[in-house]
Amino acid sequence: MEKSARRISAAPLLLLFLLCSLHSAFAGHDYGQALSKSILFFEAQRSGFLPHNQRVTWRSNSGLNDGKASGVDLVGGYYDAGDNVKFGLPMAFTVTMMSWSIIEYGKQMAASGELHNAMEAIKWGTDYFIKAHPEPNVLYGEVGDGNTDHYCWQRPEDMTTDRRAYRIDPSNPGSDLAGETAAAMAAASIVFRHSNPAYSRELLNHAYQLFDFADKYRGKYDSSITVAQKYYRSVSGYNDELLWAAAWLYQASNNQYYLNYLAANGDALGGTGWGMTEFGWDVKYAGVQTLVAKFLMQGRAGPHATVFQRYQQKAEYFMCGCVGKGSRNIQKTPGGLIFRQRWNNLQFVTSASFLATVYSDYLSSARKSLQCSAGNVSPSELFSFAKSQVDYILGDNLRATSYMVGYGNNYPQQVHHRASSIVSFKKDPRPISCRGGYATWFSKKSSDPNLLTGAIVGGPDAYDNFADHRDNYEQTEPATYNNAPLLGILARLGGGHGGYNQLLPDSSLIG
């Protein structure tokens, strides 16, 4: 009875505490700080020889013999998530989305002092892709394999796992992998056009070759690199990547060949037919449709306006679904977060939010609104949706949990990530054995010894629930492609619109 009485008397205080916590959580966000942290995460994911200005100091060199057995230098690049494999398809998508973020919101990134760091993050990826593309029709698409890697829990610096390199070529094609890498190289070439013209031209030349390779020798990459099937299976096939690469090559080169390709192949490859409710490393249609709609609104469609309008209708189908006013709406949690799947759901949240952000700015620049089946949607309403998703990630949710590590007062402490969960190599260089890492470090219930600053983890489930446990990989594992689309939105949120016209060619880019 006494205990009950105490509970009852404490209830108003508890309610007051919860209300105060929610108020402080919802009091507004430091988007500039979130941007800085989200870019820093990429330095924790680096493979290879780390540079002298490496800011994530608990990491050391790793993967220094990558490619050696195949007679090629594949040192560098990024680990995709909490493991130590270099998967080419998600890495290329990551670079494409980081580049698109800068192309749209480079001015805001410059104003926040983060443009240089963002460009360095892109270059770490493109330097690797140049190495991985030693011949016009050869592309290395994976180093290491998920099966042996997942059997071990080791720091990247200690890897004893198989580091075999896997490639695509004319006999073993991979149009999706080659197409996405072409898109990444083309988009990055725009980023470096002013600051490093020679490098920009080099990237564009690789993009041309990779597109030709993808288009001429057609096939799914995971039929050639079969070890990728369990981890990054190309469910959507390669048609979307061919259109995606063509769109980025047109954006980068203004070459009419690629514009004509988009028009001639829009129906056959699904660009004008697929109405989507997701966008990510596998399914690119909504991204293609958004880019083509931009070309149309810029007046760059030439004789293809009719076809491009069909692309735009599908782009708007996606946007209407995001705001809940379409004929098929995207599922959301009770707290309002986009929900696609249990495993790493936040990847779909950041990518959809990016598309909504840029499209709202395209509409504003064109002085148009979104035509949805349930009524018109203003550009500001579309942008508010994107902002609500980012704010949820940063802590505006009923759990008052930030899903960006190191941001806010309440964020994941037991991230499913080998490097952050094991003592730094610099503090204790004694090797961590393959299975010993599981016994000593993975099973620990304490916080990570190394803070994985800026990482966006998998996030909550369909009911806004989240369990902060290292073995809960569906919710606590981060990924580079979760962060990449977020860079642009955070720069936009932190810098405001700035009064520029988003439909002017590369209008916001500072290189």
Side-chain angles (χ1 to χ4, degrees):
M1 192 71 190
E2 188 180 342
K3 287 179 180 174
S4 298
R6 280 179 185 167
R7 269 204 301 271
I8 291 165
S9 63
L13 290 173
L14 180 62
L15 181 62
L16 184 64
F17 172 76
L18 287 171
L19 288 171
C20 288
S21 298
L22 284 173
H23 176 74
S24 67
F26 286 32
H29 291 288
D30 186 338
Y31 298 115
Q33 183 196 104
L35 174 63
S36 300
K37 290 177 185 291
S38 64
I39 295 171
L40 193 61
F41 167 63
F42 290 97
E43 294 195 18
Q45 297 301 107
R46 283 173 170 170
S47 181
F49 289 100
L50 300 186
H52 64 89
N53 60 349
Q54 169 83 7
R55 295 177 296 162
V56 178
T57 54
W58 48 265
R59 280 293 322 283
S60 298
N61 299 336
S62 62
L64 302 185
N65 292 313
D66 285 357
K68 196 171 183 180
S70 302
V72 62
D73 175 9
L74 296 176
V75 177
Y78 287 110
Y79 304 118
D80 69 306
D83 53 32
N84 300 327
V85 186
K86 295 192 299 203
F87 292 101
L89 184 59
M91 195 194 305
F93 178 70
T94 294
V95 169
T96 307
M97 294 309 296
M98 284 198 286
S99 299
W100 197 358
S101 290
I102 289 182
I103 290 164
E104 300 289 353
Y105 303 114
K107 274 185 178 166
Q108 285 89 338
M109 282 194 201
S112 71
E114 288 296 337
L115 181 61
H116 174 74
N117 290 326
M119 289 172 71
E120 285 293 302
I122 290 169
K123 194 170 185 292
W124 194 266
T126 51
D127 283 352
Y128 174 76
F129 293 144
I130 290 169
K131 293 178 173 184
H133 184 225
E135 301 170 41
N137 295 334
V138 171
L139 177 64
Y140 285 85
E142 184 171 330
V143 179
D145 79 273
N147 293 336
T148 58
D149 182 89
H150 284 60
Y151 182 72
C152 298
W153 195 262
Q154 290 176 295
R155 299 174 295 208
E157 295 84 359
D158 289 327
M159 280 186 287
T160 57
T161 48
D162 184 9
R163 299 300 287 175
R164 200 173 311 173
Y166 301 86
R167 65 182 239 179
I168 54 172
D169 54 41
S171 304
N172 304 282
S175 302
D176 28 25
L177 174 64
E180 180 59 73
T181 311
M185 298 295 236
S189 77
I190 302 170
V191 171
F192 293 102
R193 182 178 292 158
H194 304 305
S195 63
N196 194 341
Y199 189 65
S200 174
R201 286 192 297 274
E202 183 181 10
L203 295 177
L204 193 54
N205 285 333
H206 280 281
Y208 288 140
Q209 292 179 0
L210 284 162
F211 178 80
D212 289 345
F213 173 34
D215 197 33
K216 184 177 179 182
Y217 300 101
R218 294 194 181 186
K220 281 177 59 176
Y221 96 103
D222 58 5
S223 297
S224 299
I225 304 177
T226 55
V227 292
Q229 287 182 4
K230 193 174 167 185
Y231 304 97
Y232 290 101
R233 180 185 289 275
S234 182
V235 177
S236 71
Y238 55 77
N239 289 349
D240 51 337
E241 276 87 4
L242 290 174
L243 294 172
W244 179 240
W248 278 112
L249 275 159
Y250 178 62
Q251 173 91 329
S253 68
N254 214 28
N255 185 323
Q256 295 300 300
Y257 174 82
Y258 300 103
L259 190 76
N260 296 338
Y261 186 97
L262 288 164
N265 294 283
D267 293 344
L269 299 180
T272 58
W274 282 105
M276 303 308 300
T277 56
E278 72 170 274
F279 172 57
W281 61 262
D282 181 29
V283 188
K284 314 289 162 48
Y285 283 114
V288 175
Q289 291 152 357
T290 301
L291 274 177
V292 174
K294 181 185 187 182
F295 301 154
L296 184 65
M297 287 190 264
Q298 284 177 318
R300 296 169 72 191
H304 307 306
T306 306
V307 180
F308 281 17
Q309 282 164 2
R310 297 209 300 276
Y311 275 99
Q312 184 177 28
Q313 286 165 4
K314 291 298 187 282
E316 301 212 338
Y317 178 95
F318 178 84
M319 305 302 162
C320 293
C322 284
V323 294
K325 291 191 174 181
S327 54
R328 183 170 162 229
N329 295 324
I330 293 175
Q331 182 185 343
K332 296 190 176 80
T333 68
L337 184 73
I338 287 174
F339 186 79
R340 179 78 197 170
Q341 66 183 35
R342 281 183 354 199
W343 189 322
N344 190 17
N345 182 62
L346 287 185
Q347 63 176 303
F348 301 107
V349 179
T350 59
S351 54
S353 300
F354 179 86
L355 291 187
T357 299
V358 295
Y359 203 75
S360 72
D361 280 344
Y362 299 161
L363 289 171
S364 291
S365 301
R367 300 191 175 170
K368 292 182 177 178
S369 61
L370 188 60
Q371 315 293 314
C372 296
S373 58
N376 287 1
V377 175
S378 68
S380 61
E381 186 179 342
L382 184 58
F383 182 64
S384 293
F385 154 77
K387 180 179 182 295
S388 74
Q389 299 299 296
V390 174
D391 288 346
Y392 183 110
I393 292 171
L394 296 180
D396 288 13
N397 52 69
L398 290 174
R399 290 179 52 86
T401 297
S402 164
Y403 295 105
M404 177 186 283
V405 178
Y407 179 88
N409 299 318
N410 180 25
Y411 50 81
Q413 303 288 328
Q414 293 187 31
V415 183
H416 184 91
H417 189 274
R418 285 157 177 74
S420 68
S421 67
I422 300 174
V423 65
S424 170
F425 182 83
K426 291 182 178 177
K427 278 194 174 178
D428 187 350
R430 288 176 296 178
I432 307 292
S433 70
C434 169
R435 301 303 290 172
Y438 274 111
T440 307
W441 295 100
F442 179 78
S443 58
K444 278 197 173 187
K445 301 302 179 192
S446 55
S447 300
D448 295 337
N450 309 303
L451 189 65
L452 194 64
T453 302
I456 302 294
V457 297
D461 66 13
Y463 304 99
D464 302 293
N465 298 314
F466 178 79
D468 184 14
H469 304 303
R470 197 167 291 115
D471 60 359
N472 180 19
Y473 51 84
E474 291 187 344
Q475 295 190 324
T476 63
E477 186 170 19
T480 54
Y481 44 89
N482 297 8
N483 279 60
L486 200 59
L487 303 191
I489 320 172
L490 290 170
R492 169 71 168 82
L493 286 165
H497 194 280
Y500 60 87
N501 184 332
Q502 203 69 19
L503 297 179
L504 293 174
D506 305 339
S507 59
S508 70
L509 184 61
I510 299 175

